[in-house]
Amino acid sequence: MSLNRQEKAIVIEEITAKIGDAQSIVVAEYRGLDVASVYLLRKSARDAGVYLKVLKNSLARRVIADSRFKSLSDKLVGPLIYCISYDPVAAAKVLASFAKNNDKLVIKAGALSSCLLDYDDIMELAIIPSREDLIARLMATMQAPVAKLVRTVNEVPTSFVRVLSAIHDQKNLSS
């Protein structure tokens, strides 16, 4: 079903806003996917905070022509689904994990800011921990010395109380 000019303008405006905030775009060919599979893909993308959209390639080219993702425009051929993500690795993770279980989804290309990514680059990007995971690891690493210091400082009075308790028990047994 074809879009009229007003509908195209709305779609272009929406995608331009999404791309303006995005760190990465990954495109995949979805030829042969059934509706249930596409539904599962959309659900996993939504859960990961990834914007997933099927677009006409001409509209997508028009949108990315003036963006930092313009290197991707030569790769936009065929029936493509577009994953746009604020997290640099989230789009790659969503498509890579879905493609493992569904061979009809073929990852074609991607862009990370102004850098064009091929299939191998996207698969490498998919195994990198997400931003939230990295922040959690950093916080755990930063918290470990402080927690150890607190345990060490707390051990002094605890040991003292244990010694006093042992002396008390020893005196009660000997009397």
Side-chain angles (χ1 to χ4, degrees), residues 2 26 43 52 60-62 71 77 89 101 107 151 164:
S2 180
V26 180
K43 183 178 181 326
L52 192 87
R61 278 190 203 94
R62 189 180 306 171
S71 60
V77 177
V89 298
N101 301 326
I107 298 172
R151 282 192 300 272
L164 288 178

Side-chain angles (χ1 to χ4, degrees), residues 92 96 99-100 107 118-128:
K100 282 181 190 175
I107 298 172
D118 62 2
Y119 175 80
D120 295 330
D121 296 334
I122 293 168
M123 295 317 248
E124 286 181 29
L125 189 63
I127 60 173
I128 295 175

